[in-house]
Structure formats: structure tokens, C-alpha cells
Amino acid sequence: QVHLDEAGPGLVKPSEILSLTCTVSGDSINNYYWSWIRQSPEKTLEWIGYIDDTGSTKYNPSLKGRGSISRDTSKNHISLFLKDVREGDTGVYYCSRVGGRVWWSDPWGQGTLVTVSS
Amino acid sequence: DIQVTQTPTSLSASVGDEVTITCRTNFNPRNFLNWYQQKPGKAPSLLIFGASTLQTGVPLRFSASTSGTQSSLTIDNLQPEDSATYFCQQTYSTPWTFGQGTRVEV
């Protein structure tokens, strides 16, 4: 059974770089696409981007180029980097496996809370 | 971006009732429409994919359909464990976008 586990710093200061890791167990990251999705305190879900099975990436233009997703196949994990964070980046960050012909997201990790505050 | 408008924002119903949640998009997402259930304090979980296919293990009282730019999720014979927030998501084109969510109270 696939399990995803996100990890991050919890608290980040404005203008700093946020770094999150999603460790995948029960499946190889080479076999699927993997997404990062965040949920605001108001519960709105926003797709951040994905990395595909070749390592190519796609991002939400709303990030204005601040986001970067990478992978480490030796550790079977996916990383998200978000630079120049601001208070609006506060929320719960999830990683998920993406699959099928309609790009469903399943499963999701338990999420990691990120608070941007000075 | 494909905009997704989900209604209602919340609803309250009784055990055994039937409820319907609607998502409207400003572009036909074909069957690239997925539904998720999120319980308090938990991550969303996949309920329905491809507009109408139930994920493994999802009770048959859940169903969904799509017609053009309108998609609907119906829960028949509502049960207490169905209390949750439900989201639709279009994956027809990036950026993939979600509806605002519907909180269902049983």
C-alpha cells in the first residue's frame, strides 16, 4: 500500500525559502506523476504543480515562478521549494500520487502545516 | 485557467436523505473531473474519478455524472459517516483547479 509522508519546517519567515519533502513508500516515484497541493486556512485547495515519471515538471502560474519541484530517486522522495514566501503561502501542504488517464490524486499524504510569519 | 464553481457551500440533511452537489466549469472538462471527500483534520481522499467512476471501496450510495460544463455528485441514503467536505477538481487542463468545497452535515 502506498504511503506518503510530508515533512517541513513548520514556521518560515517572509521572503525566505520553504523546503518540503514527501517521502514515498510502497511504490516507486518512477512509476507515477506526483503533485503538491496546498490548502489555505480558509480550506481552499490549490494545485501547486507536479513532477512526472521522467522528472519533467509543471507549475501553477499563480506561483509566479517561485515554485520548484524535484525528485531524488535514490531516496524515493519528492521535494517542493517555494522561494520568497509571503503570508499568503500559509497553509497545509500535501503531496499526492497522480495517475490514470484523468490524473486523479490518490493517495494523499497527511499534510504538513506551514506558517509564514516573522 | 478553467474556473470551477461549486454549490452549495454547505448543506445539512438527515440520515436517509439524498443530496446533490454541483460543480460548474467555464469550459467543458470532458470526463477529467474528480471528486474528493475530506473529513476534519484529514487529507482529502479520492471518491470518484473520470466524472463517474467510484474509487475502490467507496459505497455505492455515492454517484456522479457530468453533462457539458456541469458535473454533479449525489449521495443517496445519507449516513452519519458522510459528514465531510466534498471537493470537485478538473484535470482537463493545467493549472488543475478545485471547487470551493461543500460542507455536508448529517
Side-chain angles (χ1 to χ4, degrees):
Chain A
Q1 189 168 356
V2 181
H3 183 78
L4 288 72
D5 193 16
E6 303 94 342
L11 180 65
V12 188
K13 289 183 168 54
S15 80
E16 291 187 342
I17 296 174
L18 169 65
S19 174
L20 300 176
T21 299
C22 171
T23 300
V24 178
S25 57
D27 199 355
S28 168
I29 63 173
N30 291 318
N31 294 337
Y32 283 92
Y33 287 34
W34 304 87
S35 262
W36 284 97
I37 297 162
R38 64 185 180 182
Q39 187 166 37
S40 70
E42 296 75 29
K43 304 302 182 188
T44 299
L45 288 170
E46 181 181 33
W47 173 75
I48 295 171
Y50 69 61
I51 187 164
D52 72 16
D53 51 354
T54 69
S56 295
T57 54
K58 191 90 172 180
Y59 301 102
N60 193 324
S62 67
L63 296 178
K64 303 272 194 298
R66 296 186 298 126
S68 174
I69 299 174
S70 64
R71 66 179 187 169
D72 185 329
T73 54
S74 67
K75 296 180 180 177
N76 213 45
H77 77 210
I78 308 295
S79 295
L80 170 69
F81 301 95
L82 188 62
K83 61 183 180 184
D84 189 25
V85 297
R86 60 283 304 257
E87 289 188 3
D89 294 317
T90 293
V92 177
Y93 285 70
Y94 297 100
C95 60
S96 71
R97 184 180 61 172
V98 177
R101 291 187 293 174
V102 294
W103 313 123
W104 42 252
S105 287
D106 182 71
W108 299 46
Q110 84 284 354
T112 185
L113 176 62
V114 173
T115 301
V116 179
S117 175
S118 55
Chain B
D1 299 4
I2 294 182
Q3 308 300 317
V4 182
T5 302
Q6 185 173 344
T7 55
T9 304
S10 64
L11 65 89
S12 180
S14 301
V15 173
D17 283 354
E18 175 183 292
V19 299
T20 297
I21 299 166
T22 299
C23 278
R24 291 184 186 274
T25 54
N26 62 347
F27 192 86
N28 186 347
R30 310 288 179 95
N31 65 333
F32 289 82
L33 200 291
N34 307 312
W35 291 92
Y36 301 88
Q37 178 191 64
Q38 183 177 32
K39 296 194 174 179
K42 300 292 187 182
S45 62
L46 181 65
L47 205 61
I48 289 172
F49 60 92
S52 60
T53 303
L54 261 62
Q55 173 66 329
T56 303
V58 172
L60 295 179
R61 61 179 181 274
F62 289 89
S63 65
S65 63
T66 189
S67 177
T69 60
Q70 179 171 315
S71 300
S72 299
L73 171 69
T74 298
I75 311 173
D76 188 23
N77 187 22
L78 203 62
Q79 297 299 303
E81 59 267 30
D82 299 334
S83 289
T85 301
Y86 295 83
F87 294 92
C88 60
Q89 176 203 34
Q90 70 78 24
T91 53
Y92 180 76
S93 69
T94 59
W96 298 337
T97 46
F98 292 87
Q100 297 85 345
T102 297
R103 184 181 172 192
V104 174
E105 180 185 358
V106 183

